[in-house]
Structures are given as C-alpha cells and as structure tokens.
Amino acid sequence: MKSHIKSKNMNNWKSLKISFILLLASVAAFAQNDAIQVGKDGKEWNILTPSSVYRINVSANGIVNAVCYGSRTMLENVITATAPEIPVRGGFVATLPLLEAVFPDGVRDIELAFKSYELITVDGRATLKIVQQDKFYPLEVSSFIRALPEYDLIEKWVEIRHTGKKGSIKIENLQSGSVFLPVDSYELTHYSGVWGHEFRPNKTKLTQGTKTIQVRDFKSYGSSSFMVRPEGETGGNSGKVWFGSLCYSGNWRVDFEKMFVRPSIPGRANLQITGGINFWDQELYLKPGQSSVTPRMVFGYTEEGTDGVTLRLTSYTREQLLPGSRRDKIRPVLYNSWYTTFYAVNEQQQLALAKIAKEIGVEMFVIDDGWFKGRINHLTGLGDWTVDKNKFPNGLKPLVDSINALGMDFGIWVEPEMVTTNSDIYKLHPDWIFRYPNRQQYEGRNQLNLAREDVFQYIYQSLYKLISENNIKFIKWDHNRPLVNPGYMSASSDEQRAVRIRYMENLYRLVNTLRADFPDVWFENCSSGGGRIDLGMARSFDFNWVSDNSDPTERIFLHDSYLTLFPANTMISWVTKEDWHQQDPSLAYKFDVSMAGVLGVGNDLIKWTDEDRKLAKDKIALYKEIRETTQKGDVFRIISPFEANRSIIQYVSKNKKKSVVFNYRLAEYPENSIPENQQSPLVKLRGLEPETKYKFDKINGAYSGKYLMEVGIRFPLKGAFKSDIYKIESTD
Ligand code: DGJ
C-alpha cells in the first residue's frame, strides 16, 4: 500500500494527466492508491488529482500540518507547513478553528499531536485517515481525506471520539475540513437568494477578514457551493478556480478567511476556506466512548475555468451522490396540477387533466397539495396524511387506477415535517412540535421535532401506508417553513442544543429508509421552491423543484446558475401559465426553457386549444429524443444571461456523438447591437471531439468539432423572448 514520493511516481502522474479525458470515461483505469502518496517515515502525504495536490506533513514536534492546496506545480516546492490540518481553539489561534471544545474540568483549549495514520477503504475508495490525540485529555480526532481523481476533487471529513472513562466533553464547534490557498488576491463567487429568486450569483473580492455564507433556519435558497479565483481570472473555460460544497442540508456555514501574512514569508497561504455544520446555537456532548462524524466537505481545483468546475461538480453529483437505485434512469415527463387546481382538487377534474396529459406524452401524473383531510388552505390539514373524503369519496385508489390504466404512473405531494393546528396529530401529540414555553408560537405551520424517534416512526409509517396502498411512484417532499423556536424541552439538557443535528440525521434516515422500501419510487426535493437544495439532499432525492418562479425568462437566469452547480437531470422545470413580467411568452418558448431540465407541465390543459395540444405533443416528442443527452450529458453555458441579452446552453453526450443547443433571446437587440447589424454572432461551441464531423438538424453542411469550437457557427434568432433548439450529431 505505502509508497514513497519518488520520481517514478511523479512520472506516473504525468502520464495520468495526459490521459485525463480517458480517465473520465474509465475510472477503473486509475489505480486509486496512486491518489494518496505516503512519504518519509509515514509522516508526509500527497493527495493527488490530475490537476491538484493537497499536502500534509507532521513536524518534528508532532503537529499535523496542511500545506497549500492547489496546482500540482506545488509538488516542485520544498514542503512548507502552512497551518494545522485541524486548526483548534487553543494555543496561538492564527487560523479559523475547526474544533472547539470544553473539557469536564473547564479547560477550553485543545492541544493535538500526531498519533497514527492508516490507508483505509471507504465506500470502495482509498482514504487516508490521520489520527491525532489531545496531549492530555481523552479526545481523539481523526481526519479523513481522499481524492476523487476523475473529478479533480478531494473529500474531507472529521471524526472525534471521547476515549476516556468519565465526564462529558462539550463540543462547541466541529467543522468538516479546511484548505489553505497560496498567497494571492482572490474573488469569491457564491449563490444566495430568497423565495422566487433562488441561486443568484454574487461576486465579491475577499479582503482581510472573514466572509461567511451560512444558513441558520434550515432555509437556504442559495448554496454552500462556491468558486474562488485569483483576481483577474475570469475565463469561462480557462484559468484557475478553487471550488467546493458541503454535503449537508441543515444549518451550514462556509468561511473564507483572508489572513494577514508578512511579505517576508513567501509561498505561504493567505486564504483559509472552512466548511461544515453551523454551530450557531448548537453544541454536542460526547460521553465516554461516544463519537461524532461530520458531513463531507468537497473541495476541488481546476485550471479550466468555470466550465471546469461545472463539469467536475455536476459529474460528481450525478455519478457519485444521487441515489444509486435510480441514478442512471431517464427522468420521466411530468404533469403537476398545482398551478391549475391549487387546493380545490377532486377525482373527476384530476382525471380529466390526466387524459389530456397522456395525449400530449406525459409519463408521470402528480397531484400536488390539497388532496388530504382538512386541507382548505395553507393553514390547515397538514400532519394526518389521510385522503379528504369530500374531495375523493372513494379514496385515491380509483384515480390512481385510472391513471395507471391510461399508461401513466402516479405521484403525490406531501409535507411530512409540518403539522397544522386542525390536524389530529397536532391535538394528540402537542409535545411532538418544536416550541419554547413563554415564547410566541408561530402556528401557521408547526414543525415536528424529527429529532424524536416517535416522530420519525409516525412519519415513516404514515408515508409507508400512503405509498403502498396507492401504487405511488413519485413523492414530492415539500418543506415550507424556516425553523423557528427549536425548543426540545423534554430532552436532557446536554441533548437540547444538538436538536438540529439529530433532526437532519433522522431526515436523511427517513427518506433513505423509504427509498429502500420502495426502490422504484422517485423522490423530489422541494422547500417552498428551492429552499433546501444541496449535496446533502442530492444523496437522498432524485431531483429538485428549483423555484416556484416558473416565469420562463426568470427561469433562464435560474437555469444558468443552477446548471453551473448541479446536474440537469436534477432540475425539474414546468411549463406553466406564470408570467411575472407581463411579457406574454409563447407556449413554444416556455417549453424550450423547461426542456433544459426535467420537463414538466403545469398548465390548465382543459383550457388549451387544439394548437396548444399539438405544440405540446411535438415538444414532448422532441424532448424524449434529446433527453438522454440533456439529462446525462455535460452542460456548457456558452452565453450567460447575466452577461448578455441572450442565453445559450449546450449539452454534449458523454461519448461526444450527440449535442443539443438551446438558444434563447431575451431582447430584441441582443448585446445592445444596432438594428442594422442583422448578422447573428458566431458562437463557439464546447466539449466536442475536434476531429469528429458533426451535422445539425437545422443548419446545412457538416463541420468538424475543431471548427465549431474554434471558429463557431451562427444560431440566428429574431425578436424578444424567442427560442430555438438545435440537435447536433456526429456523422459517423
Ligand atoms: C410550495 C411548493 O414550492 C409549490 O410547488 C407547491 O407544492 C406548494 N408548496 C403547495 O403548497
């Protein structure tokens, strides 16, 4: 297993870099142990990917140090310690601590020293485990670090353990991992938002001090994903980018701390990036023998610009994180009745919609909110999950049977984490709800305390019954309230502030248990639109409802951001009547926008004309032709709507034989060009095979990939809010 850092290995790595493209296709070709090199006396490690190196060493006094993370050229430097691999509260606190604890006697400082290391296998992948131990107190800290070379990523996480026999250790902060970037001036791009305006990109210069992105109420609307670039590096498909994301969905934080560095010390880091659970109003107690493991933090480095980030992060999510049982399956075309019927649902009306849905090519019919007992408006009915007999006198089964007989699967909306005051469960178990005595209770929706096992069992059994009795094949799992008053007064005092962490552990366990029971059911993640989208949810849910804003032009912006970070097969996008800017967008434009992700329809189909139905049928037929490429291929944002009055998104199949170009025009005069300039600009495509010839469905001739990528081709389109889709195929 162990190998020394020798030139022989370095040669191997050179050849690895050249064959990186092949590696993307064949992970098996890569000997995973080569990704972790063990050096002198088992006290130096290089974690390698084709573009990056992460270096760790142990100094003479037993401190485990991290060296700068970044380009493999750093392998040529003399190894210089940058900062502790696990910065702690204790001693000289020059860096952001990953770990802050209070020992039973009140001592609040930690002093770690190297104990051992091991190369282990976790989920079939070589992983470096470095164990440190407090010099006096019974606290053991294990860092887990590994490379995912095919994505230029490293994953980091930490486990802490109380190794003593008495007393509890209070943990006030435990982050998943940090990296240190070489001295430079950096700019951060991160994504934040509010309801209806999710994932807005923000760019900011990182100046001395700390920039924090975080969630405190379980609602994100943005992302823990980030990109950090040296100032001036703006290339879409070239230039250095450090990036990362946390695999966690509750309260999280990522800190970017620009440190003061004396110019007389060259080559050291001046930016620390740290991510993990947000310990704001949280603490854990470790009793003797107990341990705690953090979620995984993913860090990446590429020299291929933002395209490079997208390729790596989206492939990683699609191939490694998404639930294995349905990961490779093509996502169905959906119909969802929310925008048409809201809470006023009934069997006859849903069936009438379903018949037309089938006619136009829909494969999954989903009934949204409103179907359950006592659901009149958003303030009622949540919690019992039994059917409303006024709306469905014979239960859901006859509707489901009819939909199945039409040849479609059936899906349903639930909001399992919430209850309203008129539900039986609210009255029966007031203690299951988060609340504080003497504090205002916000009753609109009450949140169940999923940290409790009885709550877990109740939700699990309710959903098990619902799914199994109604042949349900799709669950839209909603979550519509930010967390307030997270009181858990019946818990012991040392468990009370761990409640959010326990809640999230149980949420993942709940969905994963249901998935294991019903492996052929799709799960959609929704939280008032895109309020809880992250790499934590990606491990349990197949796709996301990205926003309640389904205005097509707004969506073009949203898709641009979302597709930078997440794979297209997780992005559900419906055609609806929404028109937030009174632009009266055409049905064709709406379809072309929604076809960039997982296509859904939400219109009142009964009101559609014959022409509307014909158009929808043709668009859905086209979608079924291209979705293998769009759902499983690589995405390239050729022109971003944030930079021009148009948007071009290109998908390329993994074997590079097929490509699809979505061309949207947002204004009459793109790029503010003068009207007499009728010539549409040449657009350089990406991701094609240079030597392969490609033909288009709507452009004459055949062009080499090299020509299309270096010279470009025109996608003429006239008029505001117009769109077009081009299919491209290799001629062989
Ligand atoms: C919020 C979701 O974002 C919507 O799509 C819809 O499901 C409603 N909840 C239903 O109450």
Side-chain angles (χ1 to χ4, degrees), residues 195 198 336 338-339 342-343 368-370 375 378 382 413 415 445 476 478-480 524 526-530 545 547-548 574:
W195 177 87
E198 291 85 344
N336 181 303
W338 173 243
Y339 283 96
F342 291 103
Y343 303 103
D368 208 279
D369 199 344
R375 188 64 164 170
H378 70 284
L382 297 173
W413 178 96
E415 192 179 354
R445 264 179 173 85
K476 178 175 174 182
D478 209 343
H479 165 271
N480 281 303
E524 176 185 8
C526 173
S527 178
S528 318
W545 177 235
S547 179
D548 283 332
W574 309 335

